[in-house]
Amino acid sequence: MRTVIALGMAVLFAFPIWFMATSAFKAEAEIQAIPMHLIPWDFQGLAQFRLAAEIAPMWTYFLNSWLYALSHVGVTVFFGALAGFGFAKYRFPGRAVLFLAVLSTIMVPFQILVVPLFIEVKAFGWENSYPGLLIPGMMNAFGVFMMRQYAADLPDELLEAARVDGASEFRIFLQIALPLLLPALASLAIIVFIWSWGNFLWPLVIVQDKALNVLSVGLTTYTQPYLGQPMWGAAMAASTVATIPIAALFIFFQRYFVKGLTAAAVKG
Amino acid sequence: MTRRPGGVRFHYKWWGLIFVLPVVAFFATFNLFPTLFGLWLSFTDYDLLSPPIWVGLDNFVNLFADRLFRHALANTLVFVLGATVPVWVLSLLAALVFDQAFRGRDVLKAAFFLPVLPPVVVIAVVWRLLLHPNGVMTSLTGGWWGITEIRWLADAALAPFSMIAVHDWAIIPFFMMIWLAGLAAIPPEIREAAAIDGAGSVRTFWHVDLPQLRATAVLVAALSSINAFQTFALQYVLPTDPGGPANSTLVLGLLVFKYGFQYFRMGDAAAVSVVMFALIMAVTLVQLWFNRRA
């Protein structure tokens, strides 16, 4: 009985994704067929993907999305761990105030920032450029917060022993703290990747050049008719391309994926 | 302690400050400064060309007479309502289904979870096609009664509800996961004790599970409403035109964008975002208050 209910729910929720992935391999006319075809009757191979790359520079968008997401992941993970370690394991003047200041940025939604941040970044001369696209969102306060909690659990004796052995503080971070934080860093990396990969508003306002656009913004091209024809096949192909990286993360790192998202929700 | 050349003691605690400095400098530049700058902007008129002019509270006063703002505020509140209460109930029901072992649970749960994976823009693009007036959703729903055309997105009376339905579809599996984490944290002894006392599954749920889920409920309520207040990409991509038709899906996030980047009225855009911030802060305060009581 439970299996039947669950099956109904799974079909209801999975079918739009199924529709997207299968329509990427259908001919344009078949996509709108009523009743809907569950699988392509007239299999198109990769033709719709090639068409999508012809209508707009899809692979450039795709690479930019990777650049955007990976730079955010790299910076947040490294500097988040460094700062989290610093806040957790050192007692320096101003520690509480600085931590509170960093933490308070979690509460500010991005829509509040977008207008002043745009004016600021424009004043830096970074409008419509990679620095303007990539730098302002590179750090995520949630990363600092999460890493501080995990770093606090590191045993002090271990750090003290290294200190007695004459290791520099930076080496203690790099060679003792960082390896122990690795599982938490993996969860953090996945969360930040998902957030950055789907980011829409900032890339939309800061970049005008097609060559600099990320895939989430580039996708909107495909909802418009091209040469007077609707291009739903190309739209579904590009949508599938935009979903594959996250789906791959889900398949290969399911444990970290669900753990990371839950941790982000509970603590963020 | 480490010794610097020259014998000056450099206490290792200062390394902590050095470790946090890059992050602090970053947030000062790209979060704290723009937040304060945005607050200041909301008291000015600024079009990016001539210098900002201080106008005091004028922008806020004008907002409440502004037809677009009133539309956006009402649309946002309707959207938040539709993106919260139904989501709480349905995601909890889904969690109760998947909480217990049955045949094929893992596969079905993974399939149910699929809408969480695509970025919002992908969801909007795919649903734009599914909600074509003569498209797949029309045939799956109206088809049974011989209806061949439903203007899901083109009808200003229907479009806001299409937004809510798509949003809820995408977000319910995520909140199911949160409920599942909450359910998993309930000590099994409590349920067993209830079962031994002869409580049925419905009574066990009301009297045992639900009180234990209080903290999870506060979390789900807060996250879903904060998330809904900030909605933007869905209303930008899914409707026939951003915020359309006839401004029926114009929400506050979209109005910030419209004023800021289409009309270049930076002061008005900042004022709208300050109102948004106040609404979200109010939700956060309610959450903190409930958390304290929980």
Side-chain angles (χ1 to χ4, degrees):
Chain A
M1 185 57 200
R2 228 173 240 275
T3 307
V4 176
I5 297 174
L7 182 67
M9 288 163 51
V11 167
L12 190 69
F13 276 75
F15 120 83
I17 309 296
W18 175 265
F19 177 78
M20 167 190 82
T22 52
S23 295
F25 299 97
K26 291 177 188 168
E28 189 64 34
E30 197 189 342
I31 291 171
Q32 298 264 33
I34 302 291
M36 168 188 143
H37 295 177
L38 274 178
I39 50 166
W41 293 3
D42 178 15
F43 187 72
Q44 294 294 302
L46 295 176
Q48 296 288 14
F49 293 84
R50 277 195 292 271
L51 180 65
E54 227 168 80
I55 296 171
M58 179 175 73
W59 298 116
T60 307
Y61 297 158
F62 187 68
L63 283 179
N64 285 335
S65 281
W66 275 101
L67 196 63
Y68 186 79
L70 286 183
S71 63
H72 288 194
V73 168
V75 171
T76 298
V77 163
F78 182 78
F79 286 99
L82 187 64
F85 181 66
F87 278 126
K89 289 298 183 193
Y90 297 86
R91 302 273 174 277
F92 50 88
R95 188 178 68 114
V97 176
L98 290 179
F99 183 67
L100 213 64
V102 171
L103 195 62
S104 68
T105 63
I106 292 183
M107 310 243 271
V108 181
F110 188 70
Q111 273 97 338
I112 314 306
L113 286 179
V114 64
V115 166
L117 192 61
F118 173 80
I119 298 170
E120 183 188 355
V121 166
K122 197 173 145 77
F124 290 171
W126 289 351
E127 199 195 359
N128 203 23
S129 74
Y130 276 119
L133 174 68
L134 301 177
I135 292 174
M138 265 189 171
M139 266 302 311
N140 195 308
F142 169 72
V144 180
F145 180 63
M146 179 175 166
M147 282 307 125
R148 192 192 75 132
Q149 294 202 320
Y150 281 95
D153 294 339
L154 298 177
D156 285 316
E157 303 80 52
L158 209 61
L159 310 178
E160 205 49 59
R163 214 162 269 145
V164 171
D165 286 348
S168 73
E169 297 303 314
F170 189 65
R171 267 189 62 166
I172 292 175
F173 167 71
L174 222 52
Q175 298 192 337
I176 296 171
L178 213 50
L180 290 171
L181 291 173
L182 222 49
L185 289 172
S187 289
L188 178 64
I190 290 177
I191 305 164
V192 175
F193 186 89
I194 295 170
W195 284 344
S196 306
W197 185 263
N199 238 336
F200 182 67
L201 180 53
W202 182 248
L204 178 72
V205 300
I206 199 63
V207 158
Q208 286 86 45
D209 268 1
K210 278 192 169 184
L212 294 175
N213 254 336
V214 295
L215 192 50
S216 60
V217 176
L219 270 178
T220 57
T221 320
Y222 298 101
T223 59
Q224 309 303 324
Y226 179 70
L227 304 175
Q229 299 292 317
M231 290 290 161
W232 287 116
M236 293 304 107
S239 296
T240 304
V241 168
T243 307
I244 284 172
I246 310 281
L249 277 182
F250 178 61
I251 292 165
F252 294 118
F253 302 101
Q254 200 161 353
R255 207 162 53 87
Y256 290 117
F257 193 98
V258 173
K259 225 185 194 166
L261 279 182
T262 317
V266 174
K267 289 167 188 158
Chain B
M1 300 209 188
T2 49
R3 260 173 201 285
R4 286 171 100 197
V8 181
R9 273 163 183 271
F10 184 72
H11 196 277
Y12 72 79
K13 75 178 180 187
W14 292 107
W15 278 100
L17 188 60
I18 294 173
F19 288 170
V20 305
L21 224 46
V23 162
V24 168
F26 180 91
F27 285 117
T29 313
F30 294 109
N31 286 81
L32 291 178
F33 170 73
T35 305
L36 298 174
F37 180 41
L39 194 64
W40 178 79
L41 268 180
S42 70
F43 299 110
T44 67
D45 270 350
Y46 183 40
D47 60 1
L48 289 182
L49 298 173
S50 38
I53 304 161
W54 182 266
V55 295
L57 288 168
D58 279 8
N59 290 336
F60 292 96
V61 174
N62 292 339
L63 276 188
F64 289 91
D66 177 349
R67 201 178 48 85
L68 275 186
F69 175 76
R70 282 169 33 183
H71 260 302
L73 187 62
N75 291 340
T76 304
L77 294 177
V78 169
F79 183 79
V80 169
L81 197 66
T84 48
V85 181
V87 169
W88 304 342
V89 176
L90 294 174
S91 61
L92 177 57
L93 287 177
L96 291 174
V97 169
F98 284 111
D99 184 42
Q100 275 161 45
F102 56 88
R103 261 170 68 131
R105 177 176 72 159
D106 289 350
V107 175
L108 293 176
K109 197 165 91 181
F112 183 77
F113 192 69
L114 281 179
V116 174
L117 303 182
V120 182
V121 181
V122 168
I123 284 167
V125 170
V126 172
W127 277 96
R128 211 173 139 132
L129 171 57
L130 285 169
L131 293 177
H132 189 278
N134 323 102
V136 170
M137 278 320 280
T138 300
S139 85
L140 288 177
T141 53
W144 303 96
W145 293 278
I147 299 167
T148 55
E149 184 178 284
I150 302 177
R151 292 151 56 84
W152 303 100
L153 301 172
D155 183 339
L158 197 53
F161 298 99
S162 301
M163 300 296 131
I164 290 171
V166 171
H167 174 87
D168 289 4
W169 165 83
I171 209 90
I172 282 172
F174 173 77
F175 284 111
M176 174 200 70
M177 203 177 67
I178 308 285
W179 285 117
L180 278 178
L183 283 167
I186 299 175
E189 303 86 55
I190 301 186
R191 280 180 172 182
E192 281 159 21
I196 290 167
D197 289 347
S201 57
V202 175
R203 281 192 45 180
T204 308
F205 173 71
W206 277 110
H207 297 292
V208 179
D209 290 349
L210 215 50
Q212 293 277 327
L213 286 173
R214 209 192 144 99
T216 311
V218 174
L219 178 71
V220 169
L223 276 182
S224 59
S225 43
I226 290 172
N227 184 16
F229 269 114
Q230 298 186 50
T231 185
F232 172 77
L234 193 67
Q235 281 80 1
Y236 186 88
V237 182
L238 182 54
T240 45
D241 58 294
N247 293 324
S248 61
T249 61
L250 180 75
V251 287
L252 289 173
L254 212 50
L255 191 63
V256 173
F257 176 82
K258 220 180 172 88
Y259 280 164
F261 302 102
Q262 289 180 343
Y263 302 166
F264 300 105
R265 287 158 55 182
M266 296 300 172
D268 289 320
V272 175
S273 71
V274 168
V275 172
M276 258 182 92
F277 192 26
L279 288 169
I280 291 169
M281 277 310 285
V283 174
T284 309
L285 289 177
V286 171
Q287 180 204 7
L288 288 176
W289 184 76
F290 267 107
N291 257 347
R292 198 132 303 160
R293 283 170 39 117

